[in-house]
Amino acid sequence: MTFIPKYNLIEELKWRGLLHDTFPGTEDLLNKEQVSGYVGFDPTADSLHVGNLVPIILLKHLQSAGHKPYALVGGATGLVGDPSGKSSERNLLDKEALLYNQACIKKQLEKFLDFGAKENAAEMLNNYDWFGTIGFLDFIREVGKHISVNYMMAKDSVKNRLENGMSFTEFSYQLIQGYDFAHLYKNKNCKLQMGGSDQWGNITTGTELIRRMHGGEAYALTSPLVTKADGTKFGKSEAGNVWLDPSKTSPYAFYQFWLNVSDVDAEKFIKIFTFLERNTIESLIEEHQKEPHLRKLQKVLAKELCCLVHSEEDYEMAIKASDVFFGNSGAEELLALGKLPFVQAVEGMPKSTLINRVEGFPILDLLSTDTTIFASKGEARKMILAGGLSINKRKATDPNHVITKEDLIFEEYLLVQKGKKNYFLVHFQ
RNA sequence: GGGGAGAUACUCAAGCGGCCAACGAGGGCGGACUGUAAAUCCGCUGAUUACAUCUUCGCAGGUUCGAAUCCUGCUCUCCCCA
């Protein structure tokens, strides 16, 4: 039976800016047979974040080109800790947290791939399943014997750490990850490992192991690190990491993250993060350049990602809330939003909870003493006098105002707005 | 070991007896404009009960009606000669 890929994966990834490097022969392999490929995800947190989207997208492309994707949760590798890109030794996570993280990540990954496909259903793996039972002695006899320390020391991830030191634990990481690849090669006929460019060293240790242990040929494909034009780190908002878990980063905040991408980055990101076709993207870019103020690219980008990671309903809600928070609408529209969408939109905002008092809160105390919205009363006062503070979308003008029940929205909230886009929520109980 | 220069607010950097909560620049925050952008312009940027008061200019003392500014000691930094 001859295999014909749905499309040339390498070509596709190339124009999208998702290709950094490949092993020689990878393209030929992908064009002549159905390939099983995998990506590993570290359970360092209880949720994936936007930075993990790239490897997820690689898997999706692999699957839609007709190949078979494996998503590997690093239950074992997480116990050790990948030194790649780290300048110092990290603390080990405790086993319970890791188990919890693995479960969370597994659940998230399940959303993105098709596990019911006939020809090339995705599969989920956890490397703890094969590492958990290997003893240390067996491992160093059967695996360690094939790789020289000299070879391991030559990797950037190790070299960069020789000055400041590195534990044996982290040093051996590449062997563990390398063995994953060898194990999957042997047991799942998995010939391809994908990942970020920082994984190159770990991946090549894997292909080397496969050659020495099984006399086989394996392949690799990496994507570049996602960068922003202004040089700041991708994947962070003012509130910190942008997570895929809606309880850690609300769909509204997630939508906002993509909407606020700069013009230059939007052109780049729409290729990387969406599955829109080439001509669709090209005409979108053209439209955007003609009428940049409409920010069509950002809107499409935010929509696609919001729908991919969350849902259409979440997207609709995010748009509604965005209109209220950033459009020209005022206090009336805020009320008209209704309590439920309001609560969803304010999720992820800096928040303070206060016990309601009958006599009310002098506004300056509320802003600086009862909450940490301002560092001092003086600052809060100046902001009010400068016209930079709104309460529930209504400009505050009187620094001596006392907040009482009448000021609350939906009877329990106070939406404090500092400047244009800094919102804080005060919840009264 | 000898000689010299310096330490000022988030950073750089003026000030050298009262007019100093301390010039100016950068950064940060806010306002106007705009695309929830960039650029530009304007304002704020020690605290407080804001008329006014209080605590700040490496640290500790001293002189003086009055000190970031003068004197003494200490700590630290930089430079030059051995």
Side-chain angles (χ1 to χ4, degrees):
Chain A
M1 175 178 114
T2 49
F3 171 81
I4 298 159
K6 303 239 167 57
Y7 54 83
N8 183 325
L9 183 67
I10 300 288
E11 286 291 317
E12 178 76 14
L13 297 181
K14 212 180 266 174
W15 79 259
R16 285 184 182 275
L18 271 166
L19 197 67
H20 182 257
D21 215 342
T22 61
F23 235 58
T26 306
E27 183 165 9
D28 289 344
L29 179 80
L30 287 163
N31 287 333
K32 77 167 195 273
E33 61 181 86
Q34 188 186 68
V35 177
S36 294
Y38 88 99
V39 175
F41 296 88
D42 266 339
T44 43
D46 60 2
S47 169
L48 297 167
H49 52 88
V50 288
N52 300 120
L53 278 171
V54 171
I56 292 175
I57 282 163
L58 287 177
L59 282 176
K60 272 186 83 85
H61 275 295
L62 184 75
Q63 184 166 38
S64 44
H67 302 286
K68 186 172 170 73
Y70 287 94
L72 182 147
V73 177
T77 28
L79 285 167
V80 175
D82 185 0
S84 303
K86 299 286 185 308
S87 55
S88 61
E89 186 83 14
R90 286 181 302 165
N91 293 329
L92 290 174
L93 293 165
D94 72 73
K95 293 190 177 178
E96 257 169 51
L98 275 169
L99 275 175
Y100 175 70
N101 292 351
Q102 288 167 45
C104 295
I105 285 171
K106 181 170 179 238
K107 209 166 151 204
Q108 285 185 338
L109 286 169
E110 280 167 355
K111 257 192 97 159
F112 296 101
L113 297 164
D114 183 356
F115 290 84
K118 275 199 205 99
E119 298 289 319
N120 57 338
E123 276 186 48
M124 187 75 75
L125 302 164
N126 187 334
N127 58 11
Y128 193 80
D129 292 343
W130 54 87
F131 269 110
T133 52
I134 298 187
F136 179 69
L137 289 174
D138 286 336
F139 184 76
I140 54 175
R141 274 179 73 89
E142 282 161 33
V143 182
K145 202 67 182 168
H146 296 284
I147 296 288
S148 73
V149 169
N150 316 51
Y151 177 83
M152 292 172 74
M153 301 249 292
K155 306 276 172 180
D156 283 346
S157 59
V158 176
K159 247 194 307 193
N160 296 340
R161 290 278 295 279
L162 287 179
E163 291 255 323
N164 300 319
M166 158 182 234
S167 67
F168 176 73
T169 311
E170 286 194 10
F171 174 65
S172 52
Y173 180 89
Q174 55 173 299
L175 266 193
I176 318 274
Q177 183 170 328
Y179 180 71
D180 275 342
F181 199 1
H183 175 91
L184 294 174
Y185 177 85
K186 182 94 189 293
N187 296 285
K188 299 275 187 188
N189 191 30
C190 182
K191 291 184 186 167
L192 176 71
Q193 183 177 173
M194 304 185 292
S197 53
D198 61 330
Q199 290 300 309
W200 186 257
N202 292 331
I203 296 175
T204 51
T205 301
T207 57
E208 192 64 22
L209 263 181
I210 289 170
R211 193 170 303 133
R212 301 196 183 204
M213 289 177 74
H214 309 302
E217 207 53 50
Y219 300 85
L221 183 164
T222 58
S223 56
L225 192 73
V226 177
T227 55
K228 294 203 293 178
D230 64 5
T232 57
K233 201 172 175 228
F234 169 77
K236 296 242 179 196
S237 71
E238 287 123 90
N241 275 338
V242 179
W243 302 100
L244 305 193
D245 182 341
S247 68
K248 289 171 88 82
T249 297
S250 69
Y252 163 77
F254 187 82
Y255 177 82
Q256 283 288 323
F257 169 77
W258 294 102
L259 193 69
N260 277 309
V261 158
S262 74
D263 290 4
V264 200
D265 290 332
E267 288 189 19
K268 188 165 139 188
F269 291 172
I270 198 150
K271 292 180 196 157
I272 294 178
F273 292 103
T274 74
F275 293 88
L276 300 172
E277 285 177 18
R278 188 167 191 164
N279 45 22
T280 311
I281 287 182
E282 276 165 2
S283 62
L284 269 171
I285 291 177
E286 209 173 300
E287 278 177 58
H288 181 262
Q289 283 168 349
K290 255 184 243 155
E291 299 181 294
H293 59 281
L294 295 179
R295 291 193 303 151
K296 205 153 185 181
L297 271 181
Q298 283 91 335
K299 283 178 186 162
V300 174
L301 182 67
K303 176 186 173 179
E304 290 294 317
L305 270 296
C306 207
C307 291
L308 174 72
V309 173
H310 300 295
S311 69
E312 192 130 348
E313 295 82 75
D314 287 322
Y315 162 68
E316 303 285 344
M317 201 111 80
I319 288 215
K320 247 201 213 166
S322 296
D323 277 351
V324 172
F325 287 101
F326 292 105
N328 291 321
S329 51
E332 293 73 29
E333 285 86 349
L334 179 64
L335 270 171
L337 190 61
K339 187 168 174 177
L340 203 75
F342 173 80
V343 170
Q344 298 229 3
V346 298
E347 208 169 282
M349 257 177 210
K351 179 181 161 184
S352 301
T353 304
L354 297 178
I355 307 298
N356 210 351
R357 289 193 219 131
V358 194
E359 69 273 25
F361 294 81
I363 191 163
L364 293 179
D365 288 315
L366 181 90
L367 294 173
S368 58
T369 314
D370 298 315
T371 67
T372 53
I373 299 171
F374 287 94
S376 70
K377 287 189 205 180
E379 238 178 73
R381 179 197 306 273
K382 279 174 200 151
M383 188 60 67
I384 291 174
L385 294 176
L389 193 102
S390 294
I391 300 280
N392 296 334
K393 295 298 289 182
R394 186 164 279 134
K395 211 140 234 162
T397 49
D398 177 13
N400 297 317
H401 181 71
V402 175
I403 299 285
T404 62
K405 233 178 155 183
E406 277 86 76
D407 294 296
L408 305 186
I409 188 171
F410 304 122
E411 315 216 313
E412 49 183 328
Y413 297 104
L414 203 65
L415 182 71
V416 180
Q417 181 182 6
K418 179 179 143 197
K420 265 182 205 151
K421 42 198 234 173
N422 298 306
Y423 285 97
F424 303 86
L425 186 74
V426 186
H427 186 195
F428 290 88
Q429 290 183 334

